[in-house]
Amino acid sequence: MVMTNFPYPTGFHLEVTNMCTLECSGCARTRFIEAWPQHWKNYNLNSVDLDNFLDIDITGLTFSLCGNYGDPIYHPKLHDIIKVIKSRGGKIEITTNGSYRKAEWWKLITSLLDETDSITFSIDGIPINFTQYRKNADWKSIDTAIKECVKSRVKTEWKYIIFSFNENNIEEAKQLSESYGIDSFTIKHSDRFDEQTNHLIPTNEKMIGGRRQQQIKFKNNSENAVNPKCKTDRNEHFITATGYYSPCCYIADHRFYYKTQFGKNRKLYSISDLSFSKIAQMQDVVQFYSSIEESRPSACQFNCPAN
């Protein structure tokens, strides 16, 4: 398969579902439903379509199960998605809040995973305050999830986004993660603040993500140079819960998606109709990758600034 100017994947980013039980104030799902509730529909990625789409050797490739809108654990047949990937030698990274699944469900999922796979719990704070951002999250079921996962072979991580309400609880959360036996505790500096989330900005400026100033420039109609991640360190081609291909999750964010060829003409990129190798040879797809730095798509300016 010839892939001129097309980045061979280091893995795939799968939004296996757009379903979620949370209402995080900075989440694209929350924003979309608030703005256009009449247009929202729940979707789940089809495991058979995924298997047919992946017509390349995926041995050793990483499949990140996360997404823009949903939490992967709410896919009703997540075990089928996992079976497809693992049976063909892929590695899995699940990112979840971990709420509302029972111990039996976690036992099934972790039984399909091994030491090459990971589960990241997104918990921003400690039990008494983390729902200030992760609205509707449930600590009791998260506790159950963590305890089941740390007993398995899978690697576990606690990811902690810093906000104004939790910036002084980092050490306490880290100690709690260690008491559970979680393998790693990761701090994330967010830069996705706007008029609806500015009250969550940490008081310590060092705890704010480095892209914030570039994103402010973009919102003020100033162009940013682009350093696309898809052509550098980690190239994960994205599949939406609706079953369409996109170069990355940034392009598939609704703030940008419907202004791009991948959103306007999304049915041309359906994984139920095309294989990955066929999409890789589509002239307009090749052209997109070869001209990112010059054409500077809005999503790339916002998410992949050169500095």
Side-chain angles (χ1 to χ4, degrees):
M1 176 174 55
V2 178
M3 289 189 177
T4 306
N5 290 321
F6 186 92
Y8 197 83
T10 59
F12 287 84
H13 185 174
L14 307 181
E15 183 165 60
V16 295
T17 182
N18 64 357
M19 297 172 66
C20 190
T21 60
L22 276 58
E23 296 179 3
C24 304
S25 55
C27 176
R29 183 181 194 276
T30 302
R31 298 293 181 83
F32 189 103
I33 292 174
E34 287 175 347
W36 304 285
Q38 71 277 20
H39 294 303
W40 183 262
K41 292 183 180 180
N42 291 330
Y43 292 94
N44 297 295
L45 193 63
N46 184 288
S47 60
V48 175
D49 287 345
L50 176 65
D51 196 16
N52 293 334
F53 171 74
L54 296 170
D55 64 337
I56 61 172
D57 181 7
I58 65 170
T59 303
L61 297 187
T62 299
F63 286 75
S64 175
L65 276 54
C66 185
N68 293 335
Y69 301 96
D71 187 317
I73 70 172
Y74 302 121
H75 190 296
K77 295 183 178 180
L78 182 61
H79 56 284
D80 286 342
I81 298 285
I82 291 174
K83 286 177 181 177
V84 166
I85 297 168
K86 295 302 294 180
S87 68
R88 297 179 54 183
K91 298 184 291 187
I92 291 177
E93 295 178 347
I94 296 174
T95 300
T96 178
N97 175 249
S99 294
Y100 303 111
R101 284 296 193 184
K102 295 181 179 180
E104 291 74 18
W105 186 89
W106 285 106
K107 287 176 181 176
L108 170 60
I109 294 300
T110 55
S111 72
L112 302 173
L113 303 174
D114 57 42
E115 61 278 355
T116 67
D117 307 309
S118 67
I119 296 178
T120 295
F121 291 95
S122 297
I123 308 170
D124 314 314
I126 54 178
I128 62 171
N129 67 7
F130 81 110
T131 55
Q132 289 189 47
Y133 182 72
R134 303 279 170 179
K135 295 180 181 178
N136 298 335
D138 174 64
W139 186 261
K140 183 178 179 180
S141 53
I142 292 173
D143 173 83
T144 296
I146 293 174
K147 288 177 178 177
E148 287 300 326
C149 290
V150 297
K151 290 191 298 186
S152 71
R153 295 177 295 170
V154 67
K155 295 188 290 289
T156 52
E157 177 186 18
W158 180 323
K159 184 176 70 175
Y160 188 110
I161 300 177
I162 302 175
F163 294 112
S164 57
F165 64 85
N166 68 18
E167 61 185 313
N168 296 318
N169 302 119
I170 297 172
E171 188 58 35
E172 188 176 351
K174 183 178 180 181
Q175 290 177 8
L176 181 57
S177 74
E178 291 172 353
S179 71
Y180 273 115
I182 292 176
D183 295 313
S184 60
F185 180 85
T186 304
I187 294 173
K188 181 175 176 58
H189 295 185
S190 181
D191 43 43
R192 300 296 183 86
F193 297 109
D194 57 23
E195 62 279 359
Q196 290 179 257
T197 53
N198 278 338
H199 65 287
L200 298 173
I201 297 177
T203 58
N204 184 344
E205 292 186 358
K206 294 181 179 179
M207 294 182 176
I208 301 173
R211 295 182 303 176
R212 177 163 169 75
Q213 293 306 314
Q214 293 297 313
Q215 292 175 354
I216 290 173
K217 278 181 58 181
F218 175 80
K219 290 178 180 179
N220 290 333
N221 298 315
S222 298
E223 277 209 352
N224 290 321
V226 171
N227 182 26
K229 291 181 180 179
C230 60
K231 296 179 73 174
T232 55
D233 56 342
R234 185 166 180 172
N235 169 38
E236 294 181 328
H237 296 267
F238 187 67
I239 307 299
T240 69
T242 49
Y244 299 124
Y245 168 86
S246 175
C248 69
C249 66
Y250 297 144
I251 295 291
D253 184 311
H254 69 266
R255 293 171 296 179
F256 309 105
Y257 188 51
Y258 300 104
K259 298 176 184 178
T260 71
Q261 67 196 65
F262 299 99
K264 291 177 184 177
N265 306 311
R266 54 194 174 279
K267 291 185 179 179
L268 296 178
Y269 307 99
S270 171
I271 69 167
S272 64
D273 299 326
L274 295 171
S275 65
F276 178 72
S277 60
K278 287 183 179 178
I279 285 181
Q281 297 177 67
M282 292 172 68
Q283 185 57 45
D284 54 346
V285 175
V286 173
Q287 178 63 28
F288 171 83
Y289 282 104
S290 65
S291 64
I292 292 176
E293 290 91 342
E294 293 76 30
S295 61
R296 299 183 183 183
S298 294
C300 305
Q301 288 190 53
F302 190 76
N303 292 291
C304 296
N307 64 348

